[in-house]
Amino acid sequence: DTWRYAFEEAIDEVQGIFAQKFKEEIEANSDHTVQLFPYGTLGESADTMEQAQAGILQFVDQSPGFTGSLIPEAQVFFVPYLLPQDTEALGEFFRTSKAINEMFPELYAEQGLELLVMFPEGEVCMTTQEPVTGPPDLNEVKFRVMTNPLLVESYKAFGATPTPLPWGEVYGALQTGIIQGQENPMFFIESTKMYEVTEVITCAGHNNFTTAVMANQDFYDGLSEDEQQMIDDAMDVAFEHIIDYQKGLHEESIEKIKAAKPEMQVNVLTEEERTPFIEAAADVEATFLEMTGESGAAILEQMKADLEAVTN
Ligand code: 6CS
């Protein structure tokens, strides 16, 4: 039979490359067919999540940027400066983390979802109209964030005026001046041509984009153990493929942006310039703990232990 799998990006963007690898593995190892639905074919991210929960879709890729409104603990990925920028350490963290591989699956299960994998999509950088060297430069800047309460808190702490919007509205809102900034990994800034509607890219090292792939729980539970294992194995293969695929992608994307728009500024903040952003992160962490109580505190503590294990 056919398994339907929706994701939040185009077929040739990171989530699409991952999904294609998964499809290839499943189709090589079984009689199942995987039908891929890239961003835009079934609505916004919130729509595909509803479809996966309802069992219309068997698989969905939704980043915690959106899932945070459904599973508050998933907002932990928006505590600034929690994740390392070192891609080796980051890959190892997602492979080995107890928080990711044991604790989060229980929380997703409460929403009718079998969490299969989480993977990184690259350092998140800001794009704005004016240069940003510290929080005062974000004052009065209406800054688009994914629809996630903690991300709103982050950008408040960074001095901006956060504006949560679904992805589909971002290009137009920047073009018409309704918003003046947004953040995303470099490959996505390039592929979606965010550089056409902003002038400056600023990398402050505050986050790395995380995404998650899950299955409808009833669908997954109804499979044989062999089929479940085949899915888990295909996810593992796709995970290693996507980590490998992203090597050098950030730098290549900067080159492409500069080729397309030579006047685009790309700034990497110095340690000193980062300091006020790092200081603001403590307030965001405190807000995360207020929002999520004991369960959030347990996740955060475990994540810190898991990160410690891969960065030392
Ligand atoms: O900013 C967003 O909404 C989108 N960014 C990425 C990198 N993937 C999907 C998501 O919808």
Side-chain angles (χ1 to χ4, degrees):
D1 54 350
T2 300
W3 292 344
R4 289 181 293 273
Y5 178 142
F7 46 98
E8 306 169 314
E9 296 173 7
I11 192 81
D12 56 354
E13 292 169 345
V14 172
Q15 290 182 14
I17 305 287
F18 182 97
Q20 287 188 63
K21 194 61 173 184
F22 175 74
K23 171 182 164 75
E24 191 184 305
E25 284 296 303
I26 295 295
E27 294 180 356
N29 294 303
S30 74
D31 293 332
H32 300 290
T33 307
V34 179
Q35 190 181 3
L36 299 179
F37 294 93
Y39 173 76
T41 54
L42 297 174
E44 287 288 352
S45 202
D47 301 311
T48 50
M49 177 53 99
E50 277 182 24
Q51 291 155 13
Q53 286 182 297
I56 300 165
L57 290 171
Q58 282 70 44
F59 299 96
V60 68
D61 183 327
Q62 189 189 59
S63 72
F66 296 110
T67 318
S69 53
L70 191 68
I71 303 172
E73 293 87 344
Q75 300 180 108
V76 73
F77 294 100
F78 299 92
V79 172
Y81 298 99
L82 182 62
L83 297 180
Q85 290 307 338
D86 176 69
T87 49
E88 291 282 323
L90 202 58
E92 197 51 19
F93 165 70
F94 281 97
R95 264 180 220 111
T96 58
S97 165
K98 194 175 162 208
I100 304 276
N101 297 296
E102 292 175 33
M103 295 170 84
F104 270 118
E106 289 180 18
L107 298 169
Y108 278 71
E110 288 169 16
Q111 302 299 327
L113 299 162
E114 175 76 23
L115 177 64
L116 297 168
V117 70
M118 285 188 172
F119 62 89
E121 294 197 50
E123 179 183 346
V124 170
C125 297
M126 307 178 225
T127 72
T128 51
Q129 307 302 350
E130 302 289 336
V132 176
T133 54
D137 296 319
L138 288 170
N139 187 24
E140 306 280 297
V141 173
K142 288 202 197 72
F143 198 99
R144 179 269 176 172
V145 291
M146 289 181 282
T147 53
N148 172 318
L150 197 71
L151 198 48
V152 168
E153 293 306 317
S154 279
Y155 272 89
K156 269 190 205 156
F158 286 176
T161 305
T163 310
L165 285 176
W167 170 247
E169 292 175 35
V170 180
Y171 190 98
L174 283 166
Q175 201 171 29
T176 54
I178 292 170
I179 54 169
Q180 296 90 38
Q182 65 89 37
E183 60 161 29
N184 255 308
M186 204 58 81
F187 84 85
F188 204 67
I189 294 173
E190 191 276 319
S191 60
T192 63
K193 302 196 186 311
M194 284 292 107
Y195 59 82
E196 290 179 346
V197 284
T198 47
E199 304 300 328
V200 186
I201 297 175
T202 306
C203 301
H206 67 290
N207 203 5
N208 196 291
F209 197 97
T210 297
T211 199
V213 182
M214 44 240 134
N216 172 281
Q217 186 88 66
D218 292 337
F219 155 75
Y220 188 85
D221 289 346
L223 298 171
S224 68
E225 269 180 35
D226 284 352
E227 283 182 317
Q228 290 178 349
Q229 190 61 51
M230 176 189 64
I231 289 174
D232 296 350
D233 291 347
M235 286 288 162
D236 286 346
V237 171
F239 178 90
E240 294 309 329
H241 180 68
I242 208 61
I243 295 289
D244 198 47
Y245 173 81
Q246 291 182 77
K247 287 188 181 138
L249 188 59
H250 179 93
E251 292 74 18
E252 282 163 32
S253 304
I254 294 176
E255 290 310 310
K256 283 190 190 166
I257 291 168
K258 285 190 167 160
K261 183 173 170 179
E263 67 275 25
M264 191 77 190
Q265 286 185 44
V266 183
N267 300 329
V268 177
L269 296 192
T270 62
E271 284 304 316
E272 205 183 327
E273 288 167 334
R274 285 174 197 215
T275 306
F277 291 106
I278 295 171
E279 283 168 4
D283 291 342
V284 182
E285 184 174 309
T287 307
F288 170 75
L289 293 171
E290 274 167 35
M291 282 175 170
T292 57
E294 269 176 39
S295 159
I299 289 262
L300 181 64
E301 194 184 329
Q302 186 61 49
M303 266 182 76
K304 285 183 175 175
D306 297 341
L307 285 163
E308 183 77 25
V310 296
T311 46
N312 286 330

